[in-house]
């Protein structure tokens, strides 16, 4: 079975020492955002190589892999899903994107979101003019659905469409989670790389309300005098 084969291959690369470090890095302790996640200790290149060897895995099997308790299984499943989406036609892309959202509860750490949301949900929502779906996700009580919404806008930014990023970051100004502050700040910084006036307009309006981490990420590429001025105004 394809599923058993890829799971077995993932396990052959297990590294206990690396797994221990990853458990700490991805905050798997009690009360932390990754509580309960289980790592085997594979590197990202190892996981991508495994996915490449299983490129023809059916979507139904990818979903089963995504629902596994092992972090690297979920990561590899998402790499496969991205690859399948990018090669798919219109109708199959719809099916993959909807499957992704229906299984969002298993896309439950920041690396899982970041490696897949722009390529799948970002592309899909941009091509189908579904930005409203991102705004709905941004209002979710679930941390990872909110991060999917923010990271999906990376695709819009690459198309020089900044409105979804700016709107979602405005919606999330009062978000309590540091991971969301970082995600919003990162996307705002990406807006600024392509359109400094859009970033400056956002900062002039919201800098005093932005969580400090979000602000620091957003202004990272600005000239030092501008950075200090925004930090002083906070």
């Amino acid at each position: 079975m394809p599923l058993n084969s890829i799971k077995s291959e993932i396990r052959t690369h297990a590294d206990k020492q690396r797994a221990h470090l990853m458990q700490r890095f991805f905050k798997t302790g009690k009360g932390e955002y990754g509580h309960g996640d289980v790592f085997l200790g594979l590197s990202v290149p190892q996981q991508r190589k495994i996915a490449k060897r299983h490129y023809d895995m059916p979507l139904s099997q990818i979903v089963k892999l995504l629902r596994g308790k092992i972090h690297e299984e979920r990561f590899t499943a998402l790499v496969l899903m991205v690859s399948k989406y990018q090669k798919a036609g219109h109708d199959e892309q719809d099916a993959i994107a909807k499957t992704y959202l229906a299984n969002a509860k298993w896309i439950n750490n920041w690396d899982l979101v970041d490696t897949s949301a722009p390529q799948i949900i970002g592309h899909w929502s941009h091509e189908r003019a579904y930005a409203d779906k991102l705004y709905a996700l941004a209002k979710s009580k679930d941390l990872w659905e909110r991060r999917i919404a923010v990271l999906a806008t990376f695709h819009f930014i690459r198309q020089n469409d900044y409105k979804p990023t700016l709107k979602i970051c405005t919606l999330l100004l009062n978000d309590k989670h540091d991971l969301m502050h970082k995600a919003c700040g990162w996307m705002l910084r990406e807006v600024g790389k392509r359109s400094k006036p859009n970033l400056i307009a956002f900062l002039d309006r919201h800098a005093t309300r932005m969580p400090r981490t979000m602000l620091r990420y957003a202004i990272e590429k600005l000239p030092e005098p501008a950075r200090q001025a925004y930090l002083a105004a906070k």
Side-chain angles (χ1 to χ4, degrees):
M1 290 289 290
L3 184 61
N4 292 335
S5 175
I6 196 168
K7 283 187 172 184
S8 176
E9 189 169 353
I10 289 170
R11 281 161 174 73
T12 63
H13 294 278
D15 181 330
K16 289 184 178 180
Q17 184 174 1
R18 183 182 175 88
H20 178 69
L21 294 174
M22 293 172 76
Q23 298 273 159
R24 295 178 61 186
F25 181 73
F26 285 97
K27 307 295 184 183
T28 62
K30 187 175 181 180
E32 295 181 312
Y33 62 75
H35 176 59
D37 209 350
V38 178
F39 288 80
L40 294 178
L42 279 73
S43 68
V44 169
Q46 284 175 323
Q47 292 168 87
R48 291 193 178 277
K49 285 181 180 178
I50 292 170
K52 192 173 183 179
R53 288 192 284 271
H54 295 266
Y55 70 94
D56 58 348
M57 194 172 183
L59 182 59
S60 60
Q61 295 288 292
I62 294 174
V63 170
K64 289 181 180 179
L65 187 66
L66 178 61
R67 294 179 177 181
K69 67 177 183 178
I70 304 299
H71 186 95
E72 287 88 347
E73 291 180 356
R74 302 198 303 284
F75 187 97
T76 304
L78 290 165
V79 172
L80 285 164
M81 196 176 288
V82 168
S83 177
K84 188 172 287 292
Y85 178 90
Q86 291 173 336
K87 296 172 185 175
H90 185 281
D91 290 347
E92 190 179 0
Q93 284 186 339
D94 279 348
I96 292 169
K98 290 175 183 177
T99 297
Y100 181 99
L101 292 175
N103 289 276
K105 66 180 290 184
W106 286 279
I107 307 170
N108 57 353
N109 216 312
W110 58 263
D111 63 323
L112 303 179
V113 173
D114 297 3
T115 201
S116 59
Q119 296 91 328
I120 297 178
I121 302 306
H123 180 275
W124 180 66
S125 56
H126 181 267
E127 294 299 308
R128 309 296 192 270
Y130 286 164
D132 285 351
K133 294 185 182 294
L134 300 185
Y135 304 148
L137 283 173
K139 297 175 184 178
S140 172
K141 293 181 180 179
D142 183 80
L143 165 65
W144 306 115
E145 289 188 350
R146 299 199 305 278
R147 189 166 175 111
I148 287 170
V150 177
L151 265 292
T153 71
F154 206 165
H155 180 84
F156 286 76
I157 294 170
R158 289 166 173 157
Q159 309 307 312
N160 299 315
D161 181 356
Y162 312 119
K163 181 179 176 181
T165 303
L166 299 174
K167 182 170 181 176
I168 288 174
C169 288
T170 301
L171 289 172
L172 295 171
L173 283 173
N174 295 318
D175 199 285
K176 302 300 182 184
H177 207 291
D178 184 63
L179 281 178
M180 295 309 302
H181 303 167
K182 292 177 180 178
C184 287
W186 173 19
M187 290 301 102
L188 289 169
R189 185 175 71 231
E190 292 299 326
V191 169
K193 288 180 182 178
R194 294 161 176 82
S195 176
K196 187 176 176 182
N198 271 286
L199 174 60
I200 295 300
F202 184 93
L203 293 171
D204 286 348
R205 186 172 183 180
H206 299 297
T208 58
R209 296 174 53 210
M210 292 168 69
R212 199 164 185 84
T213 297
M214 185 189 299
L215 179 61
R216 284 187 175 277
Y217 272 57
I219 65 177
E220 192 173 81
K221 298 298 182 180
L222 294 181
E224 186 63 19
R227 290 183 67 254
Q228 291 304 320
Y230 282 118
L231 289 171
K234 174 61 182 168

